[in-house]
Amino acid sequence: MFDQFFPDEDADSTYQIDFEKLYRQGYRGILFDIDNTLVPHGEKADERAVNLFEKLKKTGFRCCLISNNKRERVEMFNRDIQVNFIEDAHKPSKKSYIRAMQSLGTDTRNTVFIGDQLFTDVYGAKRAGIHTILVKPIHPKEEIQIVLKRYLEKIVLHFYRKKKGRKK
């Protein structure tokens, strides 16, 4: 029932993901949400984010930010990162995910999406056929519409963890 919202993987933080392992598995493109995935909502790229993207580029990954935010917000974050981006993405629409893969020269077999929300990030990427990694939100302060969605996410995550526990 909730499977369409279940991520393929989950992690406590973007910064704890084993990106070298993803590269060994054949992934070459990484699509990222920004707010609460890479930095707290509305903040610019911090040192940790800058270092992550430098490492990813050196490893051989091509990266693209996909955000429902306006261009100014995405450009502010991307100033020190310098990767492809799509603003006003209308997630969970799959169009922006497809556009992002085209901009990177990747496809559904070698692209992974990393985000913190089930109903926009994960659902949209799964609709586009992309491997997904759900991360825990970095900061509890969020806009009211996101806070409300988090209550529904808790229900879905309960069933995800229950199913995941059976697979072990």
Side-chain angles (χ1 to χ4, degrees):
M1 178 173 148
F2 293 122
D3 287 11
Q4 62 192 347
F5 300 110
F6 290 172
D8 297 303
E9 298 180 52
D10 61 279
D12 285 340
S13 166
T14 299
Y15 300 98
Q16 294 179 350
I17 294 171
D18 186 345
F19 289 101
E20 287 82 14
K21 179 181 175 187
L22 290 174
Y23 195 84
R24 287 191 307 273
Q25 291 173 335
Y27 292 102
R28 295 300 180 264
I30 305 176
L31 312 179
F32 287 97
D33 175 54
I34 299 172
D35 288 326
N36 259 342
T37 297
L38 294 165
V39 293
H41 186 82
E43 292 191 12
K44 67 180 193 162
D46 57 18
E47 184 178 340
R48 187 167 64 159
V50 171
N51 290 339
L52 173 65
F53 282 92
E54 285 176 4
K55 178 183 168 190
L56 293 173
K57 289 175 189 178
K58 284 179 186 169
T59 302
F61 283 110
R62 287 161 285 189
C63 302
C64 184
L65 308 170
I66 301 182
S67 176
N68 284 347
N69 281 299
K70 301 275 185 248
R71 185 174 191 90
E72 298 78 28
R73 163 67 184 124
V74 181
E75 284 179 337
M76 177 187 71
F77 177 83
N78 195 42
R79 194 166 293 126
D80 295 325
I81 301 291
Q82 294 300 304
V83 295
N84 294 9
F85 67 85
I86 296 173
E87 80 281 355
D88 199 21
H90 299 285
K91 295 182 285 184
S93 171
K94 63 184 184 178
K95 289 179 187 175
S96 292
Y97 296 88
I98 294 166
R99 219 171 92 216
M101 287 186 289
Q102 290 170 342
S103 78
L104 298 178
T106 62
D107 59 39
T108 58
R109 294 165 302 179
N110 63 0
T111 304
V112 62
F113 180 86
I114 300 168
D116 70 299
Q117 292 187 54
L118 288 177
F119 301 129
T120 51
D121 297 332
V122 170
Y123 180 54
K126 286 186 72 107
R127 291 179 66 218
I130 301 170
H131 186 83
T132 58
I133 302 175
L134 176 71
V135 295
K136 292 180 182 173
I138 289 176
H139 195 275
K141 183 177 177 248
E142 296 181 297
E143 296 174 343
I144 187 65
Q145 71 272 16
I146 296 171
V147 172
L148 297 174
K149 281 193 278 185
R150 294 286 186 205
Y151 288 109
L152 296 173
E153 282 186 356
K154 285 181 183 179
I155 296 167
V156 175
L157 287 171
H158 167 78
F159 289 102
Y160 165 71
R161 288 186 186 105
K162 201 169 171 182
K163 182 177 181 180
K164 185 178 164 186
R166 283 189 293 222
K167 286 184 179 179
K168 287 183 180 178

